[in-house]
Each structure stands twice: as C-alpha cells, then as structure tokens.
Amino acid sequence: MATASATSASEPEAEPKSGPKAEGEEDEVKAARTRRKVLSRAVAAATYKTIGPEWDQQEEGVSDSDGGEEYAMASSAESSPGEYEWEYDEEEEKNQLEIERLEEQVGPGVDRGLLPSGAQVPARLPDPRGCSCLIELWLEWLHDEISMALDGLDREHVYDLFEKAVKDYICPNIWLEYGQYSVGGIGQKGGLEKVRSVFERALSSVGLHMTKGLAIWEAYREFESAIVEAARLEKVHSLFRRQLAIPLYDMEATFAEYEEWSEDPIPESVIQNYNKALQQLEKYKPYEEALLQAEAPRLAEYQAYIEFEMKIGDPARIQLIFERALVENCLVPDLWIRYSQYLDRQLKVKDLVLSVHNRAVRNCPWTVALWSRYLLAMERHGVDHRVISGTFEKALNAGFIQATDYVEIWQAYLDYLRRRVDFKQDSSKELEELRSTFTRALEYLKQEVEERFNESGDPSCMIMQNWARIEARLCNNMQKARELWDSIMTKGNAKYANMWLEYYNLERAHGDTQHCRKALHRAVQCTSDYPEHVCEVLLTMERTEGTLEDWDIAVQKTETRLARVNEQRMKAAEKEAALLQQEEEKAEQRKKARAEKKALKKKKKTRDADKSKADEDDEKEWGDDEEEQPAKRRRMENNIPPAAEAQDMEVETGLTGRCVPVDVDPPPKQKEKAASLKRDVPKVPHDSSKDSITVFVSNLPYSMGEPDVKLRPLFETCGEVVEIRPIFSNRGDFRGYCYVEFKEEKSALQALELDRKSVEGRPMFVSPCVDKSKNPDFKVFRYSTALEKHKLFISGLPFSCTKEELEEICKAHGTVKDLRLVTNRAGKPKGLAYVEYENESQASQAVMKMDGMTIKENVIKVAISNPPQRKVPEKSETRKVPGGPMVPRQMYGARGKGRTQLSLLPRALQRPSTAASQAENGPAPRPAVAASAATEAPKMSNADFAKLLLRK
C-alpha cells in the first residue's frame, strides 16, 4: 500500500535521459512550470483572502521567487520583447484564468460597501470549509513540485516546501505525502536517516489521530519491512507494539496482522497495553462518531471533544484535538485564544507557543486579544526587542474593528516597554523610548483612530493616567504628572468625581498637602455627578490636617456648592415631574378615549341585542308559543324557520317589510358538547378564622396538573400541612393560585420564606392570607420603597447576566449583603437588580466605579435606590340623583327600541300604568308625586262616555 505509493513518488527521481529533449517533453516541462507558478500565486491569493493583507509572503515562503530558474525564466520572458512576447501573453492569460478558478474555490471576500463608514473588518468572513481549502492547495502545489523535481537541488526545494506546509498546518495528509516522498530519496546520502526522521516527526505530530493516524503507522511499518536487514525486524516489532498501545480505529486488524507477521508469540505486556487501548477507544468513540455524523465546521462537536481531552490531561492528545479543530475553524478567534492559553500555561515550549501565536494572528488578525497575547508570549520567552516592536507595528496595520481595540494594543505594548525600564537610573535609553511611545500613542489615537471611528476609544484617558502614575511613582516627576492630569481634566473629565479622587490619591501618595487641597477645591466646583462625596473628602482632610481658616473656607465652599446643586436638582425634579404629569395626562386621555370607544361598542352591542329581543317578542305577539331559551343557549341556536310557521312568516313580512328569523332548538350533538365543557367542581368556602395558619400562593403555572400533590412536598419542609386548596374555574381549569393551611402558625411564617421560589419555570408568590376588604391598608410587597443609601439600583443589565456574575462584579467594591435580580411574573429577567451593601460608603464607591460599566456589551446605570412614590388610585364614587335613589335603567316597550313604537290602542283609551310606560315614547318621568297624581284617572260613567262620543 504505502510502499507502492513511495515507489511511485520516487519515480521522478530517475536521472534524465541524455541527449536533446523531444518537443512534446519540452511542452510538458513548460506546462508544469506554468502550473507551479499559478499554484504558488493561488496559495498566496488564498492566504491573502483568508488571513489578510498583513500576511508576509517572504516570511511564510510563498512567493514567486521560490521556483529558482523557472521563475527567473518567466520573469525574463515577461520583461524581454521579441519571439517570446506573443507566447507569454497567451500563457499569462491562461494563468490568470487558472488563478481566478482557484480563487473561486477559496470563497468570496467581504463586501465592505455593506459596512458603516470607517468600520474595519477582517479580510474574509469565516468560511464553513475553514482552512481545508488551503490544505488542498498545498497538496496540489506539492504534487506539481514533486513532478518537476529533477535533481538534488529540486529535492531540497521540495523538502523546504514540505517543511513550510507542516509548519503551517498539522495535517495527516501532508505528513503522509512528506513521508512517502522522502522514501524516494533513500538512495542519496543520509536518505535513510531522513526518511526515519520524517516518519518519527509525523508520528509525534499526528500519530495519535484516531481516524487518520493509522495510515502514518502503516506507511512507516511497511517502509521498515521493505528493508531486508535482520536488524530491521526489531524495528518493525517496536512499531507494532507502539501502535497497539495507542487507541486507533481498526486496532483489531492491526493486532491480527501482528499475530500473523510475528513468528514468536506476542508478549503479555503488549497484550495488556492493547486491551487498555481498546478500553480507551470505547471512551473516544462517541466523540469521533459525533464528528463523523456532523457537518463542517463542527465547532460544537470539537469543543465537546476538547473538554473531554482537557479532563484527561494528556498534552499530546490535547494539542492534536486543537489542531484538528483549527483545520476547519481557523477563523474562530475564541478557539485560538483557548489553544494559546493552554500552551502558555501548561506546555510552555518556546517554539511551539510562538508558532501557534503566529498562526493565530495570521488567521484572525482583526482580534486584538490574539495580538496582545502574542506580545506577552514573545516577552515571556525572551524574544529580541526589535522582533517584538516589528510585531506591534504589524498589529497596528491589522485593521481592528473597534477604536477600543487600538487602545488595548497600545496599552499592551506600553506595559512591555515599562517592564524594560530600570527606574533606579535617572535617565536611560529605555525610559526615553517609553516616553516617546506614550507621546506617539496619544497622537495616533487622536489622528488615526479618531478620524477613522469618530472617537479616540479612550474617553477616560487611561493611557494618560498610566503615564502620570509612572511619572509620579517610578520617576518621581510630579510636575509632569500634574501636567498630564490637567490635560485629562480638559478633555471633559472634570465633571466626574472619580477622576478627581484618582488625582487626589496620587497627590496624597506622591505630592504635598497644598496641591491636594487645590485639587479638592477645584473638584468641589467642577464635579456634577457626586459632589457630596467630594465635599466629604475635602472636609475630612481639613478636619485632620487643615487650620481653622482652611476649615472655614472649606465649609463655606461646600455649603455654597451643595446649595446650588440642590437647587439644580429641585429644578430638574420639577421639570421631570411636569413631564411625568404630561405623560400621565396623555395616558389618561388615551385611557378615556379607549373607554369611550369601548362604551360605544357596548352600546351598539346592547342595541343589537334589544333589537333581537324585540323581534322575538314580536313573534310571540303573533302567536308563537315556543318556550323562551336562555341567553347563552340562544347564541348557539340556528336561525332556521320551521316549515310549520311559514304562514306566520308571510304575515310578518307583509306587516314589517322583512322576514324575522325564529330561534330553533340546537341539535342534540351541540347540547352534549356544550354540557361537556363544564365540570362540576366542588367549591369549598374559605374559613377566615384560620388566616393566621394559612398562606396564599399565587403566580403558579396554569398548566400545572394536580397542584396539591406537586406543592405538598415543597411546603412540608416548613411544617405539617393540613390542606392545600387549589382554585379552579367553572370549566375545571386551574386558575394559578391556592391556599395552603398549616397545623401551626410558625410553619405558616416559615413558608413565607419560599416567596419567589421557582416552580416549573415561574416565580411562586407566597404571602399571608389577609382579607383586603377588612384590611385595605395591608401591603404584600415586602421590600422598602423609601430611600436606602446603602442599596443600589442597577438597570440596563443584559438578560443573560446571572446573579453569580453580577455578585462577582459587585464584590470588588465592598461587602454584598443581598442581591436581587428583578423578574417578571413568568420568571424572565427584566434587566434590573438591587444590590445591598454593608454601609453607605461602600455603596457610594460602587456607584462611582460601576456607573457606565459595560457588561456583555450592555452599558449599565447604577444609582442609589430611591423608588418613586406610587400613586394610590382614586376610588370611583357612586353617582346618585340628588334627593332620591339611583335613576332606573331606561325601559322600552314590549316591541323593543329597534322597531317603531306604534300602539294599536286609541290614544283616548290609553291609560298609563307606570312611570316606565310614560317614558316609553315621551319625555323623562316626572317626580314621584306628580307621577302618582297623573296615574289616578277619574272614573267615567255611561253618560260621560256618551258626551265623549257626541263631542267627536
């Protein structure tokens, strides 16, 4: 298998035939040279698209000059006119077409027109194929170089190319080609040692590969078997034993082959190692099968595999799985960061660490974290200062995405230069370089970065702050430090209390009291976010160190400043209250408009219902003896007139001009369906005498089945539970709340601590069982709504932020007594939190440090907890008619208000019976006295009737 490949690979090494070459052979050589040039340019173009413009072709060995005489001939043909001019143009056109075809395999680049102005992006977005395209180009280029190799110099050139390829990517296919090609040079001086060296390096690099490492072992073993020497038999035995001790696929076939090949019985130690490797293989198989079943780039599967290998802790296998993952995910910065971090902390091998860092920044040059780690690794392993400086210059030209990335890389380089300086000397070359670099960094951020991103990326002037600290603490140059802090304050930082306190602390440590007092006086006048804290620091300093005059001046300035601040805050509060009132008025207007709209719809609906009722009454008046159905049943009935009532319908049509539908009984199936929707749920009356031993539980999931069974184990942890009464609707659906009755009162009090506990993904509310109709002032909300100076209110948090993550951040500024993330009724976070510190000073420090902090790309706001007062809703009063009872609902006649109100009785014979009948077609009813008088009509005799008829 591998021997045949090695033999075929060594065929081009045969000596060339003497004599002039045939014309066809010259064409083949010429075509091969052209293809070599095309492939080299294709690899360079592919790497340029994948890595970016900072990739150095000379450094990586991919350039047009790597072909020796062939490229020189091409260059001379390109520059010399004459007989080769037409031929070169045709070849160049073919080359360009071939390059375009290969570039299409690599994939398209980024369309920068889709990005905002000034934004910097990586030269190429991540391709699902990862770096596998470049590996294919490497293999294709290597095959062409092998076919072109004619003598020893060409072989050395191919060896160099193989070295660059295996340095670029740890790939089993490239190593296998390298080993097979080296077999072809076994006849040269040192050829045998070269072959063994290549195969041993291949085994140490990819021999542990579960699926592809087997080919390397077999090729090496077959090479050793082909050498007819007695001493080589022991070498083959050693290879078999080494291979069988490693978990690889098809181990059983290898063991069977060893049994067949070996004349002696296999040693017991080899069998034990083989069985142990089989057991390890079973542990690795799930991860390998997951990789085989998934589609590229299989990042999640590789990450799970890496986690497994990290737990085992074998450095060689960890390195191999990282390299396997990077072949398909070479454009994933997080994977490079994790790999380089492991090498920095565990292996600490200089060549390996620096090589990985170099590959990382070449593949993901837009990631500033990779460049910063690269600089640290180079400093850690003692790389020359000029090389580190050159790497930093490459980083500046990498094209970062954000302005803050440039600040970070400058800060990393300045930290490196600071560590080179010996501050025991008053002046040194390293110190001057550090100062000049600080100056250059500030100019670069102001000119280059600010013009590109419309911001410097360093609003807090961290670089200038570090420079000032170095000058003050390490160089004892407070004058320079004060100049730098003056520049910092003039850049819009004078309104922040924390900036003045940083300057004050620097003056306290390395300056004098006069400058401390001057800084605090300026801070009192300029600070706008937390002036109280600055005033407190000033008064504290004057109380301990100042004179009476200094104390009087400090008190006067602080009182004046605080009075002005309070006045400004009152005006701002009034303005905010006015805006809030306007918003409330607008909301009230919108609410009123919605209520009116709803009332109109309801009135229209009532009118339609009355109209339907009038139609029904009219049908009854014309002789319909059908029984009246309930209102809910009537809505479900079909309006189909029966055949027996067709005559009545004709009469109605003749009178009113339209046909009135008649209600019909619903089919039996509909009755059964309507009856099945209701279930008989027993209603248990609530015993208010047991409120002290009962808790009210709400906000439970409506989908909870058997709530009493599921909640009982939870509440039994607080004490003996007598009864759990879940509340159901008429349909039998759980309404999301229940009553839990305990045997003892202390158990009910302990159960209140289960408030906000998550039950099936929702926070369960547990509160005392109190009748609010008897206790209207009772409040269930257990948190304070007043000003709490030791508690912070944080807003703008990302929804993915957990309680532990936020607590870790807050612990850096003081002792956290309690932390509460605010959630909605469904248990989802609202991006708000309350943090309670041990005292007010810690809370004040935390506000200054954390306000405006970025957490997971969200800028948070931090303030002292002072919730606004809740407005108590006004109770609606019942409107009554002055001097009498409520006005009765307007009554309509028997025919309803939807039909004409004509009466068939002559007006002379009409006798109003009630006040409601007077209001049917006339004005509103009069007072009760007048109405009663009007209803008492005089009795008429026969003579009176006669006079009435004669009058007509």
Side-chain angles (χ1 to χ4, degrees):
M1 184 182 70
T3 308
S5 302
T7 305
S8 62
S10 62
E11 289 179 359
E13 294 300 314
E15 295 183 1
K17 298 180 181 180
S18 59
K21 297 182 180 180
E23 183 178 354
E25 188 175 354
E26 291 181 357
D27 293 340
E28 291 180 1
V29 173
K30 193 172 186 180
R33 291 172 179 170
T34 302
R35 181 167 177 78
R36 170 193 286 180
K37 181 177 180 182
V38 169
L39 282 171
S40 65
R41 294 176 62 185
V43 170
T47 310
Y48 182 90
K49 279 194 172 186
T50 305
I51 297 172
E54 78 292 342
W55 181 68
D56 190 350
Q57 294 183 359
Q58 298 294 337
E59 180 181 341
E60 298 304 320
V62 181
S63 65
D64 289 345
S65 62
D66 276 346
E69 295 180 359
E70 288 78 6
Y71 294 108
M73 292 172 60
S75 301
S76 62
E78 185 175 349
S79 59
S80 59
E83 55 181 339
Y84 297 104
E85 186 174 4
W86 176 84
E87 183 180 1
Y88 171 75
D89 292 340
E90 184 178 359
E91 290 180 1
E92 189 66 24
E93 184 178 358
K94 292 180 180 179
N95 294 349
Q96 188 63 30
L97 294 175
E98 182 71 10
I99 290 173
E100 292 177 359
R101 183 186 67 82
L102 293 171
E103 286 180 351
E104 288 178 359
Q105 298 178 5
V106 178
V110 180
D111 187 1
R112 296 176 181 266
L114 301 177
L115 299 172
S117 176
Q120 298 295 321
V121 296
R124 181 172 176 264
L125 290 177
D127 194 324
R129 296 171 292 180
C131 298
S132 57
C133 292
L134 289 178
I135 293 176
E136 294 174 2
L137 290 176
W138 269 114
L139 290 172
E140 195 172 355
W141 188 9
L142 289 168
H143 289 161
D144 285 344
E145 290 290 345
I146 291 172
S147 65
M148 287 287 297
L150 301 176
D151 51 19
L153 293 177
D154 289 340
R155 175 168 287 277
E156 290 299 327
H157 170 71
V158 176
Y159 282 154
D160 293 339
L161 202 58
F162 267 115
E163 289 294 333
K164 292 166 184 173
V166 297
K167 180 182 177 182
D168 215 13
Y169 300 103
I170 299 180
C171 176
N173 295 335
I174 295 179
W175 274 111
L176 184 60
E177 291 288 340
Y178 193 7
Q180 291 175 350
Y181 179 70
S182 64
V183 173
I186 194 173
Q188 297 182 353
K189 183 179 179 179
L192 182 61
E193 289 75 11
K194 176 70 174 178
V195 175
R196 287 175 178 164
S197 173
V198 171
F199 273 113
E200 288 294 339
R201 290 171 56 199
L203 290 179
S204 64
S205 180
V206 295
L208 298 177
H209 200 294
M210 297 286 293
T211 56
K212 297 183 179 180
L214 181 64
I216 305 293
W217 287 98
E218 290 182 348
Y220 191 10
R221 198 172 59 247
E222 290 184 12
F223 164 72
E224 292 291 349
S225 301
I227 301 176
V228 187
E229 292 182 15
R232 302 281 72 80
L233 295 178
E234 185 61 30
K235 185 71 174 178
V236 177
H237 275 289
S238 175
L239 287 174
F240 266 118
R241 294 167 184 173
R242 289 168 58 189
Q243 180 180 351
L244 291 174
I246 298 174
L248 298 173
Y249 270 43
D250 297 333
M251 290 187 63
E252 297 83 357
T254 305
F255 186 78
E257 183 182 354
Y258 186 29
E259 285 183 325
E260 182 180 356
W261 181 84
S262 178
E263 297 177 357
D264 301 329
I266 300 177
E268 186 64 26
S269 60
V270 176
I271 297 177
Q272 292 179 358
N273 292 334
Y274 167 69
N275 292 330
K276 185 178 179 181
L278 281 177
Q279 295 177 359
Q280 294 178 355
L281 180 62
E282 293 300 322
K283 297 179 181 179
Y284 286 109
K285 271 187 177 180
Y287 299 96
E288 292 290 342
E289 290 174 356
L291 290 175
L292 293 174
Q293 295 173 1
E295 297 181 357
R298 300 178 285 196
L299 179 60
E301 289 76 13
Y302 276 120
Q303 288 177 340
Y305 205 162
I306 291 171
E307 291 291 343
F308 175 73
E309 291 286 9
M310 295 284 277
K311 292 179 181 178
I312 297 177
D314 187 354
R317 300 195 67 87
I318 293 174
Q319 181 186 357
L320 179 61
I321 190 60
F322 268 116
E323 292 291 347
R324 289 176 62 184
L326 287 170
V327 168
E328 298 183 9
N329 300 276
C330 62
L331 301 179
V332 179
D334 292 340
L335 194 59
W336 284 107
I337 291 175
R338 189 175 182 186
Y339 186 23
S340 60
Q341 181 177 347
Y342 170 76
L343 296 178
D344 288 334
R345 296 178 179 178
Q346 302 297 329
L347 296 185
K348 302 179 181 180
V349 180
K350 177 180 178 180
D351 294 337
L352 176 60
V353 170
L354 295 181
S355 174
V356 170
H357 278 289
N358 185 25
R359 291 162 55 202
V361 298
R362 281 171 39 219
N363 282 276
C364 303
W366 61 88
T367 307
V368 67
L370 293 175
W371 288 101
S372 301
R373 291 175 178 273
Y374 192 13
L375 293 178
L376 289 173
M378 296 174 77
E379 180 186 3
R380 193 176 294 119
H381 292 284
V383 179
D384 185 69
H385 172 61
R386 289 175 294 180
V387 178
I388 297 178
S389 299
T391 304
F392 169 70
E393 295 297 334
K394 289 183 180 180
L396 288 181
N397 297 324
F400 297 131
I401 301 175
Q402 299 176 351
T404 53
D405 294 343
Y406 287 93
V407 179
E408 184 176 346
I409 193 64
W410 272 108
Q411 191 60 61
Y413 185 56
L414 290 168
D415 293 344
Y416 157 71
L417 294 179
R418 195 266 306 165
R419 289 189 285 266
R420 294 182 67 243
V421 179
D422 183 10
F423 290 99
K424 295 180 180 179
Q425 302 178 7
D426 295 336
S427 179
S428 63
K429 181 180 178 182
E430 290 79 8
L431 180 58
E432 294 301 325
E433 182 181 4
L434 175 62
R435 286 172 172 166
S436 62
T437 306
F438 267 116
T439 305
R440 181 192 169 197
L442 297 177
E443 293 178 355
Y444 186 90
L445 293 176
K446 183 178 179 180
Q447 297 177 2
E448 300 291 335
V449 179
E450 194 167 352
E451 290 180 2
R452 189 179 307 171
F453 297 96
N454 295 325
E455 59 170 332
S456 64
D458 190 14
S460 300
C461 301
M462 294 304 300
I463 292 180
M464 294 182 70
Q465 289 188 41
N466 292 334
W467 189 4
R469 294 188 189 100
I470 291 173
E471 292 290 350
R473 297 175 183 175
L474 302 178
C475 301
N476 298 322
N477 189 357
M478 276 302 299
Q479 183 62 32
K480 180 64 176 178
R482 293 183 185 114
E483 293 176 1
L484 291 171
W485 271 105
D486 286 339
S487 300
I488 292 173
M489 294 305 180
T490 56
K491 292 183 181 298
N493 294 302
K495 59 184 177 180
Y496 301 116
N498 62 331
M499 301 296 290
W500 284 107
L501 294 179
E502 287 285 343
Y503 178 34
Y504 166 73
N505 292 331
L506 189 67
E507 285 285 358
R508 291 286 292 180
H510 306 284
D512 50 39
T513 306
Q514 181 180 358
H515 284 90
C516 289
R517 182 177 290 110
K518 183 178 179 182
L520 289 177
H521 282 191
R522 292 175 61 192
V524 168
Q525 299 297 325
C526 300
T527 303
S528 60
D529 53 353
Y530 297 102
E532 296 91 349
H533 193 66
V534 176
C535 294
E536 182 181 354
V537 173
L538 174 59
L539 294 176
T540 302
M541 189 193 75
E542 298 297 356
R543 181 177 289 112
T544 56
E545 300 180 15
T547 63
L548 178 60
E549 183 181 358
D550 295 333
W551 171 261
D552 292 338
I553 295 175
V555 170
Q556 182 182 357
K557 285 191 174 183
T558 54
E559 289 179 351
T560 304
R561 175 59 178 166
L562 291 179
R564 187 162 63 250
V565 168
N566 290 331
E567 182 181 355
Q568 293 174 355
R569 288 178 178 174
M570 288 180 62
K571 290 182 179 179
E574 291 175 358
K575 185 177 180 180
E576 185 177 358
L579 293 175
L580 184 61
Q581 185 177 359
Q582 292 179 3
E583 291 295 330
E584 291 178 354
E585 291 177 356
K586 292 180 180 178
E588 190 67 26
Q589 292 176 0
R590 290 193 296 266
K591 184 177 179 181
K592 187 176 180 181
R594 287 195 298 267
E596 292 177 354
K597 188 175 180 181
K598 188 175 180 180
L600 289 175
K601 289 183 178 179
K602 188 175 181 180
K603 187 175 180 181
K604 184 178 180 181
K605 186 176 180 181
T606 306
R607 187 183 300 115
D608 295 339
D610 292 339
K611 185 176 181 181
S612 301
K613 185 176 180 181
D615 294 341
E616 181 184 354
D617 293 341
D618 193 54
E619 289 293 334
K620 290 181 180 180
E621 185 177 342
W622 287 97
D624 189 3
D625 296 330
E626 184 182 4
E627 294 181 359
E628 181 180 0
Q629 303 293 334
K632 292 184 178 179
R633 296 259 319 263
R634 185 182 301 115
R635 285 195 295 267
M636 301 173 59
E637 292 170 356
N638 296 327
N639 295 327
I640 304 175
E645 299 176 358
Q647 185 176 359
D648 294 340
M649 291 291 294
E650 291 176 1
V651 174
E652 178 68 16
T653 304
L655 289 174
T656 63
R658 63 184 182 89
C659 178
V660 180
V662 183
D663 295 336
V664 184
D665 290 338
K669 291 184 179 180
Q670 292 186 1
K671 291 183 179 180
E672 294 176 2
K673 185 177 180 181
S676 65
L677 292 176
K678 292 187 178 181
R679 283 185 278 175
D680 294 333
V681 180
K683 295 186 178 181
V684 180
H686 177 69
D687 188 0
S688 58
S689 64
K690 298 181 180 180
D691 286 350
S692 60
I693 58 174
T694 307
V695 295
F696 178 67
V697 183
S698 60
N699 200 43
L700 295 171
Y702 297 122
S703 60
M704 178 182 288
E706 299 182 352
D708 51 343
V709 178
K710 294 185 177 180
L711 294 176
R712 183 173 291 275
L714 180 62
F715 284 97
E716 282 181 346
T717 58
C718 304
E720 183 178 352
V721 177
V722 177
E723 183 185 11
I724 296 180
R725 298 193 302 275
I727 307 302
F728 295 90
S729 65
N730 292 334
R731 294 175 177 267
D733 300 328
F734 180 49
R735 301 185 66 180
Y737 61 91
C738 64
Y739 295 90
V740 181
E741 180 182 340
F742 291 91
K743 188 174 183 180
E744 299 178 354
E745 185 176 354
K746 64 178 183 179
S747 301
L749 296 176
Q750 187 177 354
L752 297 177
E753 298 179 0
L754 297 177
D755 187 39
R756 309 287 172 166
K757 184 175 181 62
S758 179
V759 175
E760 295 188 5
R762 292 174 65 92
M764 175 180 66
F765 298 162
V766 183
S767 58
C769 187
V770 177
D771 189 357
K772 290 190 176 181
S773 62
K774 300 179 181 179
N775 300 277
D777 297 332
F778 176 76
K779 294 182 178 180
V780 180
F781 192 70
R782 61 175 181 171
Y783 301 105
S784 174
T785 58
L787 173 64
E788 295 177 282
K789 295 185 178 180
H790 65 288
K791 184 182 290 187
L792 304 184
F793 173 68
I794 304 177
S795 60
L797 289 169
F799 295 149
S800 60
C801 181
T802 63
K803 181 178 179 180
E804 291 76 14
E805 293 174 348
L806 183 59
E807 186 174 5
E808 192 67 25
I809 296 174
C810 298
K811 278 183 178 178
H813 311 295
T815 304
V816 178
K817 294 180 62 178
D818 184 33
L819 190 147
R820 176 169 61 94
L821 289 178
V822 183
T823 61
N824 57 15
R825 298 182 69 88
K828 304 298 182 182
K830 300 173 68 174
L832 309 175
Y834 289 91
V835 182
E836 182 179 355
Y837 280 94
E838 197 169 29
N839 50 51
E840 298 179 10
S841 61
Q842 292 181 359
S844 178
Q845 285 288 339
V847 169
M848 290 190 295
K849 297 291 184 180
M850 295 175 57
D851 189 29
M853 179 185 293
T854 301
I855 298 179
K856 294 182 180 180
E857 299 182 358
N858 283 36
V859 179
I860 64 172
K861 295 182 179 180
V862 184
I864 299 297
S865 177
N866 187 16
Q869 295 294 329
R870 293 190 176 185
K871 295 188 65 176
V872 180
E874 297 180 358
K875 296 183 179 179
S876 58
E877 298 180 356
T878 306
R879 299 181 62 183
K880 296 183 179 181
V881 177
M886 296 180 63
V887 179
R889 186 178 61 183
Q890 186 176 1
M891 303 296 293
Y892 302 101
R895 298 168 64 100
K897 68 174 183 178
R899 302 289 298 272
T900 176
Q901 302 297 312
L902 294 177
S903 178
L904 300 179
L905 187 66
R907 293 182 180 178
L909 300 179
Q910 284 183 359
R911 179 180 298 177
S913 58
T914 61
S917 62
Q918 292 181 3
E920 183 175 340
N921 287 311
R926 296 179 181 178
V929 178
S932 61
T935 55
E936 296 179 1
K939 297 181 180 181
M940 298 179 68
S941 61
N942 292 335
D944 294 331
F945 275 108
K947 291 180 181 180
L948 182 63
L949 292 174
L950 291 174
R951 200 178 300 164
K952 295 291 182 181

